[in-house]
């Protein structure tokens, strides 16, 4: 979803021969089964890479959200803005999917890893889940945890 994030991966031939709309667009979609319903247009988002780098590297702003069990409505809403296939969307929709349409604003110059989140920003618990953080923690994260 964020191929332009520094250090994400090495370029492959696919980058030059196949379209990758979900990675090449600024407006993207995130789909999950999070029970959270607190996200609204204008909220700022931080993305924690939980599978590989264990750090916050990208940020964006919410344009709109929806909650749905209708995979066709979700697929229509997200269009080419997600990495999920229709089958994956259908599985998520079976449990009331939360869809977040957001605009990627950029990548952090200094990504913030999990230990920095706990130590400098006082953020703990399930870091990779949707959650609200205090404004001062957000400012620290944007400044690289300093």
């Amino acid at each position: 979803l964020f191929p332009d994030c520094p250090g994400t991966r090495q370029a492959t031939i696919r980058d030059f021969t196949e379209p990758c709309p979900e990675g090449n667009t600024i407006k993207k979609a995130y789909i999950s089964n999070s029970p959270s319903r607190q996200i609204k247009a204008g909220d700022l988002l931080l993305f924690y890479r939980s599978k590989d780098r264990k750090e916050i590297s990208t940020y964006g702003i919410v344009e709109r959200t929806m909650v749905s069990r209708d995979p066709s409505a979700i697929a229509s809403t997200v269009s080419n803005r997600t990495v999920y296939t229709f089958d994956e969307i259908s599985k998520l929709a079976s449990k009331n999917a939360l869809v977040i349409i957001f605009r990627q604003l950029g990548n952090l110059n200094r990504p913030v890893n999990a230990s920095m989140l706990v130590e400098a920003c006082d953020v703990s618990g399930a870091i990779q889940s949707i959650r609200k953080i205090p404004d001062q923690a957000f400012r620290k994260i944007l400044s690289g945890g300093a």
Side-chain angles (χ1 to χ4, degrees), residues 2-123:
F2 305 114
D4 61 330
C5 183
T8 299
R9 62 180 172 80
Q10 201 169 18
T12 67
I13 193 69
R14 178 179 181 258
D15 296 331
F16 305 102
T17 59
E18 297 178 26
C20 181
E22 71 277 0
N24 293 332
T25 182
I26 293 172
K27 190 184 284 190
K28 301 176 187 268
Y30 177 79
I31 308 169
S32 79
N33 287 126
S34 171
S36 176
R37 300 296 181 256
Q38 63 186 355
I39 298 173
K40 61 188 180 313
D43 284 349
L44 296 171
L45 302 170
L46 296 168
F47 292 92
Y48 180 76
R49 293 179 57 145
S50 60
K51 293 204 185 234
D52 55 1
R53 302 193 35 209
K54 311 273 190 260
E55 64 188 17
I56 292 175
S57 56
T58 305
Y59 60 100
I61 187 166
V62 176
E63 289 198 349
R64 64 186 167 119
T65 64
M66 75 179 277
V67 176
S68 179
R69 288 183 181 263
D70 181 348
S72 295
I74 294 169
S76 175
T77 298
V78 301
S79 185
N80 289 345
R81 296 182 178 106
T82 186
V83 296
Y84 291 113
T85 65
F86 186 79
D87 286 342
E88 291 168 323
I89 290 171
S90 295
K91 287 178 187 170
L92 287 163
S94 71
K95 297 178 184 169
N96 230 10
L98 169 65
V99 179
I100 303 170
I101 304 296
F102 67 96
R103 186 170 302 273
Q104 181 182 347
L105 297 176
N107 298 307
L108 297 177
N109 292 328
R110 293 175 34 205
V112 177
N113 64 34
S115 62
M116 288 172 68
L117 286 170
V118 173
E119 292 168 22
C121 305
D122 197 29
V123 175

